[in-house]
Amino acid sequence: MIHIEHLHKSYGSGAEAHEVLHDINLSIDSGEVFGILGSSGAGKSTLVRCINLLERPTSGNVLIDGKDITGTTGKALAEVRSNIGMIFQNFSLFQQRTILRNVTFPLELNHTPKAKREERARYLLDLVGLGDFADRYPSQLSGGQQQRVAIARALANNPSIMLCDEATSALDSTTTAQILDLLRRINRELNVTLVIITHSLSVARNICDRVAMIDGGRIVEMGDTEQLFANPQSDILKTLIADAAIENHRHHDDATETTATEKEQQA
Ligand SMILES: Nc1ncnc2c1ncn2[C@@H]1O[C@H](COP(=O)(O)OP(=O)(O)O)[C@@H](O)[C@H]1O
Ligand SMILES: [Mg+2]
């Protein structure tokens, strides 16, 4: 369980200080798929980076399974981080390493013996559907395949939590659906708690059990995904849902027009 209490985060100090997260409070249950939805600049990445302490909260606390991790450093911090995998929009693979050696990398850091780390990496590459790609390099893979490698690497240390920061934002809609399916499977089969950061309503709707809507560094509403989308309370979510409906309508009209033109051409 992830528990965030009265978290504030400022960048800069003194007169330059600029608070980007204001009094964030939330709890994410073990095994849950939890969405953090918001527009660009809302503070989503900053918030998620406070969970694995890539950013230090200015004040407030982060608890994982009841343990306050906010002040951890050194070896204890490394242990906290090995329990939290993370994936990004741009995949962030090591270009000079093969796929296999991308996945073994976290295991090299904690001195897992070579045979054992390769065995684990091959198991994970099979799991994400890339068993035959072990000896290739990232540049030889599609975006969706690269994100699968990043997912395998994030799972190397058998984490109980995975943070996904705009993990599908660089991918087309078909590939997005495939990656979301894979993440769902990892959640169900490996019981990994997922924190899904996204600006996309459809991603949040597709995969999240619950969603927190964040705007201007504040949680403006939070709840069950279906309930939230059926009955939005905040102006920002109401607007996003209305915009998405207009956009859908336009696609629908485009599709109908194409069909009409095709029919004309066939006639
Ligand atoms: N390292 C940083 N230094 C100063 N300001 C930052 C830094 N990182 C993010 N910010 C600012 O914090 C705000 C939230 O950014 P971010 O968390 O990246 O939002 P999001 O991920 O929702 O797009 C933005 O105004 C951004 O400019
Ligand atoms: Mg971001």
Side-chain angles (χ1 to χ4, degrees):
M1 161 145 169
I2 304 167
H3 195 66
I4 297 176
E5 286 177 350
H6 299 298
L7 185 145
H8 293 252
K9 173 68 185 177
S10 301
Y11 289 112
S13 57
E16 306 279 279
H18 170 54
E19 188 169 280
V20 300
L21 291 175
H22 320 284
D23 197 29
I24 302 286
N25 295 282
L26 60 85
S27 283
I28 302 174
D29 292 332
S30 293
E32 193 171 25
V33 182
F34 190 89
I36 297 172
L37 173 67
S39 310
S40 178
K44 306 181 296 298
S45 293
T46 303
L47 175 55
V48 82
R49 290 162 66 83
C50 284
I51 296 176
N52 60 1
L53 301 179
L54 285 178
E55 295 289 351
R56 292 277 168 176
T58 307
S59 63
N61 299 86
V62 180
L63 287 82
I64 293 184
D65 297 331
K67 189 165 165 264
D68 193 333
I69 61 156
T70 326
T72 20
T73 53
K75 217 174 160 194
L77 178 59
E79 234 161 74
V80 166
R81 289 209 178 125
S82 81
N83 185 39
I84 308 179
M86 189 165 187
I87 58 172
F88 306 88
Q89 177 169 356
N90 60 4
F91 325 127
S92 300
L93 298 179
F94 303 109
Q95 297 300 319
Q96 310 305 327
R97 283 176 164 249
T98 62
I99 299 312
L100 184 78
R101 293 191 62 244
N102 265 275
V103 183
T104 57
F105 181 76
L107 301 169
E108 288 170 33
L109 289 186
N110 61 21
H111 311 294
T112 306
K114 187 161 189 270
K116 214 167 178 184
R117 60 184 193 239
E118 290 201 3
E119 184 192 12
R120 173 88 183 142
R122 287 187 194 280
Y123 160 77
L124 289 168
L125 285 174
D126 277 340
L127 181 84
V128 302
L130 292 178
D132 295 336
F133 289 69
D135 297 327
R136 299 206 198 174
Y137 286 85
S139 63
Q140 298 172 307
L141 269 56
S142 70
Q145 289 168 334
Q146 290 188 52
Q147 194 60 292
R148 286 170 188 271
V149 176
I151 290 168
R153 184 180 60 183
L155 292 171
N157 280 310
N158 203 14
S160 64
I161 298 167
M162 191 148 113
L163 309 175
C164 310
D165 192 351
E166 301 279 6
T168 57
S169 299
L171 305 173
D172 63 46
S173 58
T174 310
T175 313
T176 293
Q178 291 165 349
I179 294 293
L180 295 181
D181 280 352
L182 174 62
L183 290 173
R184 247 302 177 205
R185 245 183 69 214
I186 286 163
N187 167 252
R188 291 202 179 123
E189 292 174 18
L190 307 182
N191 198 30
V192 176
T193 305
L194 300 180
V195 183
I196 305 283
I197 304 298
T198 185
H199 69 274
S200 159
L201 286 183
S202 67
V203 166
R205 223 172 172 158
N206 177 309
I207 190 173
C208 299
D209 301 321
R210 282 195 304 146
V211 171
M213 176 81 216
I214 173 169
D215 187 35
R218 287 191 168 77
I219 294 179
V220 293
E221 62 181 308
M222 176 157 54
D224 251 38
T225 308
E226 277 318 308
Q227 281 171 21
L228 200 78
F229 283 100
N231 191 17
Q233 300 296 311
S234 65
D235 289 342
I236 175 99
L237 187 54
K238 285 179 189 169
T239 307
L240 285 176
I241 290 172
D243 288 352
I246 292 169
E247 193 56 28
N248 261 340
H249 204 78
R250 197 174 289 146
H251 283 312
H252 182 77
D253 285 352
D254 286 352
T256 323
E257 257 169 48
T258 320
T259 319
T261 319
E262 279 167 5
K263 275 192 187 136
E264 267 169 37
Q265 284 170 348
Q266 282 164 7

